[in-house]
């Protein structure tokens, strides 16, 4: 069945809003000519007169999981305004496309695309045939790198965190590159995060290597910074121990718990794609989601812009995360992650291994949306955790694993929001309280905004109900107490009522 061309699809494929606007203009001006489509409407082609003597030749194949877009204009990568105009024209004026036999050249390209897609699925689905020699070579490199990491961790712990100055941190950054070269990018990133917490080095060679390596918490008082560094050391040590165990099991061709192995491999740098997730059975059909929050920030350690949306699973109630990493050097070449103002349904979605907030991923054509209605907001409130006890228990289970993230985003019912010294407190229906404050590691400050929002929702001195709040749970550095910070919610979802 061909991909249906909708506004959702246009939004998913467009990389620059101006290109889509210009494409709509081309349609209004009648610039698209000789529009044709196959009988099943899965292949479109046509022409558009550009600035040259000959028109540009356009084609769009709607027969796969995502559109294959081609144009002879010089704009790369696609889509250009001409092909976006072709999609708009087909969506708005399908009868303008005459039915015709597809050109042989396009059918040949489709056949090659289909062969590649089928091969990819086949490779992911069939039992892996292991090249023992290659595996042993790779595992040997990884074990040697983990041995290096083990030595580094022991040396740092033995010398004391106070001795980790800028010069030593710059050396750790260099050693992190060795981990990357040994197929352990996840461990390399973790080591760079530790190095980034060292005091800033003086001007010189070390400063040059250390340039712009910055992590939230690097400017904390020494006592708190050392506590944070201890957490990083603990995570690195767990990577060493669990990574070595996972590598031994890999050589022995299995023997460990599948979920645990997946999490360890993920943190050691394993890259998942949709085909691999499908092969693992980690998929959901007709997944109904409502995005509650969206955040974007620069991650200096990864040298990337992180863009992620937190989506409520309307059927199972959990909070999934739609995450995208864009290298800072290529921001103008990679499409920004979409944010969704309407409820969305994903025909088939892959769910990554992980903890409370699992990552979700899907093909472009799998998404459809619809207007929100009052029932959706009722469903959001119904999905909120009624008591703190269950949410805290789930978070505690996560942080028992030293490889797990330090935070978790949950949706909580708020019977009340009260002042608690300089902070706020969320009160659940049983009277239990969760301190709400700005984490010293937070990239956003939200407590003052929440205080104003909660005050605006008071009715006769009580918080208007129903009231739900998206909260990021975290472990305090000063006392290891669990607290929460209100997550910045996107404009279409009311925090209260």
């Amino acid at each position: 069945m061909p991909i249906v061309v909708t506004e959702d699809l246009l939004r998913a494929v467009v990389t620059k809003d101006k290109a889509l606007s210009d494409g709509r203009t081309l349609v209004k001006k009648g610039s698209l000519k000789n529009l044709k489509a196959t009988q099943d409407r899965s292949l479109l082609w046509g022409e558009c007169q550009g600035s040259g003597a000959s028109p540009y030749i356009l084609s769009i194949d709607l027969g796969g999981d995502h559109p294959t877009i081609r144009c002879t204009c010089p704009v790369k990568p696609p889509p250009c305004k001409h092909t976006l105009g072709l999609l708009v024209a087909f969506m708005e004026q399908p009868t303008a496309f005459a039915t015709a036999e597809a050109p042989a050249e396009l059918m040949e390209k489709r056949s090659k695309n289909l062969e590649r897609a089928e091969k990819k699925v086949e490779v992911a689905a069939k039992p892996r045939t292991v090249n023992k020699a290659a595996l042993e070579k790779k595992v040997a490199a990884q074990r040697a790198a983990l041995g290096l990491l083990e030595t580094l961790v022991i040396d740092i712990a033995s010398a004391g965190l106070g001795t980790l100055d800028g010069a030593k941190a710059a050396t750790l950054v260099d050693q992190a590159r060795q981990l990357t070269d040994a197929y352990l990018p996840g461990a390399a990133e973790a080591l760079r995060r530790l190095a980034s917490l060292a005091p800033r080095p003086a001007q010189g060679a070390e400063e040059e290597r250390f340039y712009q390596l910055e992590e939230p918490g690097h400017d904390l008082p020494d006592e708190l910074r050392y506590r944070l560094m201890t957490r990083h050391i603990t995570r690195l040590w767990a990577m060493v121990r669990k990574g070595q165990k996972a590598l031994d099991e890999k050589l022995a061709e299995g023997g460990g718990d599948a979920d645990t192995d997946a999490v360890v491999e993920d943190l050691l740098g394993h890259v998942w794609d949709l085909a691999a997730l499908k092969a693992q059975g980690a998929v959901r059909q007709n997944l109904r989601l409502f995005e509650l929050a969206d955040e974007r920030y620069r991650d200096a350690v990864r040298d990337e812009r992180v863009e992620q949306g937190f989506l409520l699973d309307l059927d199972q109630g959990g909070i999934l995360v739609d995450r995208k990493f864009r290298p800072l050097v290529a921001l103008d070449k990679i499409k920004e992650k979409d944010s969704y103002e309407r409820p969305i349904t994903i025909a088939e979605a892959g769910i990554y291994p992980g903890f409370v907030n699992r990552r979700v991923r899907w093909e472009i054509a799998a998404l459809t949306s619809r207007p929100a209605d009052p029932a959706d907001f009722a469903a959001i409130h119904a999905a909120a955790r009624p008591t703190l006890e269950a949410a805290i228990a789930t978070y505690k289970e996560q942080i028992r694993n030293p490889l797990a993230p330090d935070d978790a985003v949950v949706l909580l019912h708020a019977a009340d929001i009260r002042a608690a010294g300089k902070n706020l407190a969320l009160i659940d229906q049983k009277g239990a309280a969760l301190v709400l404050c700005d984490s010293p590691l937070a990239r956003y400050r939200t407590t003052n905004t929440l205080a104003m929002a909660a005050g605006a929702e008071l009715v006769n001195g009580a918080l208007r109900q129903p009231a739900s709040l998206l909260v990021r749970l975290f472990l305090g550095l000063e006392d290891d107490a669990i607290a929460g910070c209100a997550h910045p919610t996107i404009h279409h979802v009311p925090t209260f009522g």
Side-chain angles (χ1 to χ4, degrees):
M1 181 178 177
I3 296 169
V4 178
V5 180
T6 63
E7 287 290 344
D8 289 326
L9 182 69
L10 289 173
R11 184 178 179 181
V13 300
V14 69
T15 55
K16 295 182 179 179
D17 291 338
K18 187 177 185 305
L20 179 56
S21 176
D22 290 345
R24 294 186 194 276
T25 300
L26 290 175
V27 175
K28 291 178 182 177
K29 291 169 60 176
S31 300
L32 301 175
K33 307 294 184 182
N34 298 324
L35 302 180
K36 293 183 174 63
T38 53
Q39 180 71 41
D40 64 359
R41 319 308 265 179
S42 66
L43 191 59
L44 319 175
W45 66 98
E47 300 175 354
C48 184
Q49 186 62 53
S51 56
S54 302
Y56 298 128
I57 308 303
L58 332 170
S59 70
I60 298 176
D61 192 338
L62 300 172
D65 290 331
H66 54 83
T68 300
I69 299 173
R70 303 184 182 92
C71 181
T72 57
C73 78
V75 175
K76 297 292 181 289
C80 59
K81 65 182 179 181
H82 314 108
T83 48
L84 289 171
L86 190 65
L87 283 171
V88 170
F90 186 67
M91 180 180 69
E92 296 179 349
Q93 308 164 19
T95 57
F97 287 70
T99 300
E101 291 291 329
E105 179 185 3
L106 292 183
M107 293 304 296
E108 183 180 353
K109 289 179 178 179
R110 168 182 277 189
S111 177
K112 290 181 179 179
N113 281 346
L114 184 60
E115 286 178 9
R116 283 193 291 266
E118 289 176 345
K119 184 175 181 180
K120 188 175 181 180
V121 172
E122 180 182 344
V123 168
K126 71 179 182 181
R128 295 176 59 186
T129 56
V130 178
N131 182 323
K132 191 74 172 178
L135 177 62
E136 288 176 350
K137 183 178 179 179
K138 180 178 179 180
V139 168
Q142 290 178 313
R143 281 200 65 97
L146 286 175
L148 168 64
L149 182 59
E150 180 179 22
T151 299
L152 293 175
V153 170
I154 292 173
D155 288 347
I156 293 168
S158 300
L161 295 175
T163 66
L164 182 57
D165 56 16
K168 289 183 178 178
T171 301
L172 289 183
V173 173
D174 290 339
Q175 290 166 324
R177 296 192 184 99
Q178 297 179 46
L179 300 184
T180 300
D181 293 341
Y183 316 104
L184 296 176
E189 178 188 330
L191 187 60
R192 289 196 302 272
R193 293 200 184 281
L194 172 64
S196 69
L197 294 172
R200 302 292 93 182
Q203 293 290 327
E206 289 82 8
E207 192 275 339
E208 180 66 25
R209 287 188 291 167
F210 207 63
Y211 179 64
Q212 287 190 339
L213 189 64
E214 186 175 291
E215 177 80 347
H218 77 276
D219 54 354
L220 287 172
D222 285 350
E223 181 181 356
L224 296 183
R225 188 165 53 83
Y226 292 154
R227 285 176 176 264
L228 181 57
M229 292 170 74
T230 300
R231 292 183 183 178
H232 284 283
I233 288 282
T234 301
R235 178 171 284 112
L236 285 166
W237 188 251
M239 281 189 174
V240 170
R241 287 291 173 253
K242 295 194 174 188
Q244 290 171 338
K245 182 174 181 289
L247 291 176
D248 289 342
E249 291 171 350
K250 184 180 292 187
L251 276 181
E253 298 182 355
D257 178 79
D259 288 337
T260 301
D261 287 349
V263 170
V264 172
E265 288 206 21
D266 182 53
L267 289 167
L268 290 177
H270 180 78
V271 178
W272 294 91
D273 58 23
L274 275 174
L277 292 171
K278 289 179 182 178
Q280 291 280 343
V283 293
R284 293 271 303 278
Q285 310 291 334
N286 298 318
L287 180 61
R288 300 189 308 127
L289 302 170
F290 201 129
E291 186 174 67
L292 301 181
D294 182 90
E295 65 180 11
R296 290 147 198 259
Y297 57 86
R298 175 182 175 272
D299 188 328
V301 171
R302 293 182 63 99
D303 204 26
E304 292 176 324
R305 177 175 162 87
V306 180
E307 301 167 349
Q308 53 190 14
F310 292 91
L311 304 111
L312 173 65
D313 181 342
L314 291 171
D315 295 313
Q316 297 187 6
I319 301 294
L320 300 174
V321 58
D322 172 26
R323 182 178 292 124
K324 186 169 187 174
F325 300 100
R326 292 201 295 153
L328 296 179
V329 297
L331 285 181
D332 60 334
K333 297 180 176 62
I334 299 176
K335 174 179 166 58
E336 190 173 11
K337 187 194 82 67
D338 288 326
S339 181
Y340 308 100
E341 298 181 356
R342 294 151 45 116
I344 60 176
T345 299
I346 312 300
E348 183 176 64
I351 309 295
Y352 282 58
F355 299 92
V356 173
N357 303 126
R358 295 200 171 197
R359 187 178 174 187
V360 60
R361 185 174 177 180
W362 57 84
E363 296 284 6
I364 286 175
L367 182 149
T368 57
S369 71
R370 59 173 175 78
D373 60 41
D376 293 311
F377 295 98
I380 291 172
H381 290 302
R385 308 263 186 134
T387 64
L388 291 170
E389 182 179 10
I392 297 297
T394 301
Y395 176 57
K396 284 182 176 180
E397 183 64 28
Q398 170 178 301
I399 59 177
R400 284 193 185 98
N401 188 326
L403 293 181
D406 290 332
D407 59 6
V409 175
V410 295
L411 183 64
L412 301 173
H413 170 69
D416 198 6
I417 303 287
R418 299 175 186 169
K422 296 181 180 180
N423 301 312
L424 298 174
L426 181 148
I427 311 300
D428 72 6
Q429 63 187 23
K430 290 186 176 181
L434 172 71
V435 173
L436 299 174
C437 58
D438 292 323
S439 164
L441 308 180
R443 299 179 188 270
Y444 304 95
R445 300 290 185 262
T446 61
T447 301
N448 287 340
T449 303
L450 175 62
M452 291 186 287
E457 294 295 325
L458 294 178
V459 178
N460 297 324
L463 187 64
R464 184 161 62 93
Q465 297 295 320
S468 302
L469 187 66
L470 195 66
V471 173
R472 175 176 263 123
L473 299 176
F474 66 93
L475 205 60
L477 284 174
E478 293 186 3
D479 52 9
D480 284 334
I482 295 175
C485 60
H487 204 290
T489 52
I490 48 184
H491 69 274
H492 61 277
V493 180
T495 306
F496 307 108

